[in-house]
Amino acid sequence: MLACTAAACLLLTAAPATAAPAESAYAIAASGLVKIPRTPSVSGPGKESLASVALPTEGPSLVGAKALNAAVKPGHAESSVAGLALNLGLLPTGTALPGLSAEVIEAECGNGKGSVSIANLKVGGKTLKLDQVAPNTTVPVASLLELTVNKQTKNADGTLTVTAVSAKLLGKTQTLDIASATCAKAAGEKPEPPTKPGDKPQPGGKAPKPTPVPAHLDVTG
């Protein structure tokens, strides 16, 4: 039953490796004093959700959320966190840090373009008004806490990663990323063929009548 012909064995061993999917997403991750793996994390077509999540440290929970979502399909990735609550004061820093909360934080990446949506983000009880934030906007909110909103990074493989909120605490001692999505730019359309040569001049020396060429124009608005 385990035997195979030389040709069949060659086919089995020489099968080409499948290319890694370009799209991926995760809802939350942290590194430093407190480590949180990418949760939930998806790569390639798929979807994963978690509800009523508490990510504990030793003692009370550092991170809480009502829902974490990550979804990926070809050319598109998105992630979101709803009901986020960060008790940063639990970090063993020796310095009081403000809490952070938000109703919804979302990141979306499609065809190599990223966008974020943030609702009712509060730091230390104060609401931060974040509407149509430009990419890589830095928001210093405390002496030891810095937020980068709509963080967008071009990767070496040509993909784009957009992270809705990226926090740095104590310099780079602790980092926290909330809602991140990575996608590739779709292959461009084939160039339109050039105008066909050979149009004859019109009587009276007028310029030749151009040959119409089908074309596609993107219209926005």
Side-chain angles (χ1 to χ4, degrees):
M1 293 295 293
L2 297 178
C4 62
T5 65
C9 290
L10 181 61
L11 288 175
L12 290 173
T13 57
T18 303
E23 288 74 30
S24 62
Y26 63 89
I28 193 167
S31 63
L33 298 173
V34 174
K35 296 179 175 61
I36 301 174
R38 295 179 175 184
T39 307
S41 178
V42 293
S43 179
K47 182 183 296 185
E48 188 172 341
S49 300
L50 297 174
S52 299
V53 179
L55 302 173
T57 56
E58 294 181 359
S61 176
L62 171 68
V63 181
K66 293 181 179 178
L68 304 177
N69 299 285
V72 171
K73 61 183 180 180
H76 185 89
E78 60 184 49
S79 61
S80 66
V81 178
L84 176 71
L86 300 179
N87 192 354
L88 301 179
L90 295 178
L91 289 172
T93 63
T95 304
L97 291 172
L100 188 151
S101 64
E103 288 184 6
V104 179
I105 298 178
E106 298 178 334
E108 186 172 359
C109 188
N111 189 23
K113 296 181 180 180
S115 63
V116 303
S117 176
I118 302 173
N120 199 24
L121 177 65
K122 294 183 178 181
V123 178
K126 296 182 179 179
T127 301
L128 299 182
K129 294 183 179 180
L130 301 172
D131 184 25
Q132 298 181 349
V133 180
N136 302 310
T137 297
T138 300
V139 182
V141 295
S143 59
L144 299 177
L145 172 61
E146 180 181 282
L147 301 181
T148 300
V149 181
N150 194 9
K151 180 180 179 181
Q152 297 195 14
T153 305
K154 293 284 188 179
N155 303 308
D157 61 358
T159 60
L160 173 74
T161 296
V162 53
T163 304
V165 177
S166 182
K168 291 182 180 180
L169 297 88
L170 307 174
K172 294 184 179 180
T173 304
Q174 179 70 49
T175 64
L176 180 67
D177 292 328
I178 305 168
S180 183
T182 299
C183 71
K185 187 175 182 180
E189 296 181 357
K190 294 181 180 180
E192 300 293 345
T195 302
K196 295 180 180 179
D199 291 320
K200 297 180 180 180
Q202 301 296 308
K206 295 182 180 180
K209 184 178 180 180
T211 300
V213 177
H216 171 74
L217 296 177
D218 293 326
V219 179
T220 60

